[in-house]
Amino acid sequence: PLTILVIGPLSDSLATGIANGYNYLYNLAPAVAAAVIGGLWQIVVIFGVHWGVTPMCLANYDLYGMDTFQAFQTMAVVAQAGAVFGVFIKARNKQTKNIGLSACIAVRFGITGPARDGVNLKFRNPVRYGCMAGAIGGIVVSFFNAHYYAYAGLPSLLTVVNAINPS
């Protein structure tokens, strides 16, 4: 009963408040919001804070029927995919190539851990370039007013179809 009467309504209010704050930044300067999310999302994921964003995205879908946040998250994921693919191509060590290839396959489904933590962070520059590319990709996507119209649990190349306007 405590969950239904107190915790649920409080967490709903908090998620709505965070969503309103993000949406305010997006409405004020979409490219800045896009650069921040696209560039820093993978760093946020490293610290586990990313799970707190799900209620915000769901609040956006509930309030507006769409969400821009996940479109920018997708750019961060795609950028890490590109970075790990670059490591796969450039690596001379067979083990690094194998890990890079399997991580590249996983990140195509939105699972960035193996790519980011297992490969890109190990070499430092790939994760940096991935974050920079995510910021740039987010900015470019913001120019096209991209929105997701369906929730993507793990944003990836496969979820870009969520950006197709249903109307």
Side-chain angles (χ1 to χ4, degrees):
L2 188 63
T3 301
I4 293 171
L5 297 174
V6 178
I7 296 171
L10 282 176
S11 62
D12 179 62
S13 296
L14 181 62
T16 301
I18 293 169
N20 288 336
Y22 165 75
N23 290 322
Y24 175 78
L25 176 61
Y26 176 78
N27 290 326
L28 183 67
V32 173
V36 169
I37 302 309
L40 297 179
W41 182 249
Q42 291 300 311
I43 305 305
V44 169
V45 172
I46 290 171
F47 293 103
V49 182
H50 62 298
W51 291 113
V53 173
T54 297
M56 182 200 78
C57 293
L58 294 175
N60 279 340
Y61 290 117
D62 182 46
L63 294 170
Y64 310 110
M66 60 187 160
D67 180 57
T68 56
F69 196 94
Q70 289 203 308
F72 305 143
Q73 282 178 304
T74 301
M75 295 303 101
V77 171
V78 169
Q80 288 301 315
V84 77
F85 188 66
V87 171
F88 166 72
I89 288 172
K90 286 189 74 171
R92 294 184 181 157
N93 180 311
K94 187 175 180 169
Q95 183 179 7
T96 302
K97 271 192 162 317
N98 288 339
I99 294 169
L101 179 61
S102 63
C104 192
I105 292 168
V107 80
R108 300 283 186 239
F109 296 97
I111 302 165
T112 56
R116 183 194 57 250
D117 303 335
V119 179
N120 293 347
L121 276 173
K122 178 181 175 185
F123 297 108
R124 292 192 187 118
N125 280 336
V127 80
R128 288 181 194 147
Y129 295 141
C131 288
M132 286 188 265
I136 293 166
I139 291 169
V140 170
V141 165
S142 76
F143 294 151
F144 294 97
N145 199 23
H147 293 79
Y148 267 24
Y149 297 93
Y151 179 71
L154 296 170
S156 70
L157 281 174
L158 300 176
T159 63
V160 296
V161 296
N162 293 3
I164 298 172
N165 192 335
S167 39

